[in-house]
Amino acid sequence: PAPVERCAIGFVSPCICWSRKAAAMSSSESSRSEVGSRPRTSPKSIKFLFGGLAGMAATVFVQPLDLVKNRMQLSGEGAKTKEYKTSFHAVGSILRKEGLRGIYTGLSAGLLRQATYTTTRLGIYTILFEKLTKEDGTPPNFFIKAVIGMTAGAIGAFVGTPAEVALIRMTADGRLPPDQRRGYTNVFNALVRICREEGVPTLWRGCIPTMARAVVVNAAQLASYSQSKQFLLDSGYFRDDIFCHFCASMISGLVTTAASMPVDIAKTRIQNMRMINGKPEYKNGLDVLVKVIRHEGFFSLWKGFTPYYARLGPHTVLTFIFLEQMNKFYKKFFLSA
């Protein structure tokens, strides 16, 4: 079996690597016993729990960046004058007009998104990864990793779309005149009011671009993280520790940012749009992209690149680090007994 330090499997590596080592140690015993000893690994419920908790813990640190990213993507919508010249201008404007508390607007929605989306995404990715890992411990190849990531991301995005809609609306509210604000007090208030005022289907408005974004994000993030980690370990200059996880995560975040921004801006604008004379502002995600290019320029599809990466990079880093540490903690105190 592959040694622990070379089994670059992203966020599930501690549990899976330990399972392989346990399998190797018990192989001789299994041949002498009718029952044998099965390698122990974390229960699926623990994998789901750790995935959600890691994402939620990371969100507490990066929520202000998520807010700035959303404001930048909505700035200049409909050929209007841009509200924010740069990300730093946006931060200064928000702090000046809404105060320090305003920079954390939508935190409850961000936490719920992670509890639903990230829990589902990482849980399914972990399960599929283990299913497709060969008996000799060989991990899936790059293509399979990408397919697993896209599948997990799409399912997670569908589950998390209601929280995503609430998050976009809550973070966008402060940029509007007082008489036009929705005024949601928290994510649960937002979900209840959306259902009551606009109907339950509105909770899944923008579901298609949200799932499309998740497919792109997860194909890039999960697969590139595993691949980057494997590359770093193979170089001989890194060990399977926090520094290696940090470097692999930063590489993964950069790839993900560049690939997913056009889809993300379409998702953001659809979920924030209002009905005008009974008609939606945008027909679909493609309509958003066409109007952005026509009225704001091609490179506006990457509007807010800095806060997007500043949010996605650290969130990726923190999520994987928290997850790696929780897995190691569980392995040490529960699986090693």
Side-chain angles (χ1 to χ4, degrees), residues 29-174:
E29 295 180 13
S30 298
S31 63
R32 295 191 302 267
S33 173
E34 293 183 4
V35 178
S37 58
R38 296 180 180 178
R40 300 175 64 194
T41 185
S42 303
K44 291 181 175 61
S45 59
I46 294 297
K47 295 185 177 77
F48 276 74
L49 176 64
F50 284 178
L53 289 176
M56 292 173 73
T59 294
V60 173
F61 291 91
V62 303
Q63 176 63 22
L65 297 171
D66 208 15
L67 182 143
V68 174
K69 185 267 294 184
N70 290 339
R71 295 282 182 91
M72 289 292 291
Q73 290 184 326
L74 294 169
S75 178
E77 186 177 16
K80 298 177 183 178
T81 303
K82 291 183 178 180
E83 301 164 71
Y84 309 113
K85 299 177 181 178
T86 65
S87 301
F88 295 106
H89 177 235
V91 172
S93 178
I94 293 169
L95 288 173
R96 185 171 59 256
K97 296 178 180 179
E98 303 170 50
L100 187 61
R101 185 176 180 180
I103 206 74
Y104 266 94
T105 299
L107 178 60
S108 61
L111 293 174
L112 181 61
R113 178 181 65 174
Q114 294 301 323
T116 53
Y117 168 62
T118 303
T119 300
T120 304
R121 172 179 70 121
L122 296 183
I124 290 177
Y125 184 87
T126 300
I127 293 170
L128 292 178
F129 199 106
E130 290 186 342
K131 293 288 186 182
L132 296 174
T133 298
K134 297 179 180 179
E135 294 182 0
D136 63 356
T138 304
N141 58 36
F142 182 84
F143 176 76
I144 298 299
K145 290 175 186 174
V147 172
I148 294 173
M150 289 186 287
T151 302
I155 296 173
F158 181 82
V159 174
T161 295
E164 189 84 39
V165 172
L167 175 64
I168 295 300
R169 294 186 174 194
M170 291 177 73
T171 54
D173 222 24

Side-chain angles (χ1 to χ4, degrees), residues 210-285:
T210 300
M211 294 176 70
R213 170 190 174 277
V215 167
V216 174
V217 165
N218 285 279
Q221 186 185 67
L222 297 176
S224 64
Y225 175 80
S226 293
Q227 206 68 18
S228 298
K229 184 179 174 183
Q230 186 169 358
F231 173 79
L232 293 175
L233 292 173
D234 288 343
S235 71
Y237 295 103
F238 293 84
R239 294 181 298 173
D240 191 2
D241 53 18
I242 289 182
F243 181 66
C244 177
H245 305 159
F246 174 85
C247 293
S249 295
M250 291 302 292
I251 296 172
S252 174
L254 183 62
V255 172
T256 303
T257 299
S260 64
M261 281 208 71
V263 187
D264 189 69
I265 194 171
K267 174 197 74 66
T268 297
R269 294 199 175 183
I270 285 179
Q271 292 178 333
N272 187 61
M273 72 178 179
R274 295 176 182 269
M275 302 297 287
I276 302 177
N277 297 325
K279 296 182 179 180
E281 293 181 64
Y282 303 105
K283 298 177 183 178
N284 49 50

Side-chain angles (χ1 to χ4, degrees), residues 176-191:
L176 300 173
D179 61 324
Q180 296 181 23
R181 295 177 184 174
R182 294 181 170 100
Y184 302 136
T185 56
N186 55 62
V187 65
F188 299 108
N189 174 255
L191 297 177

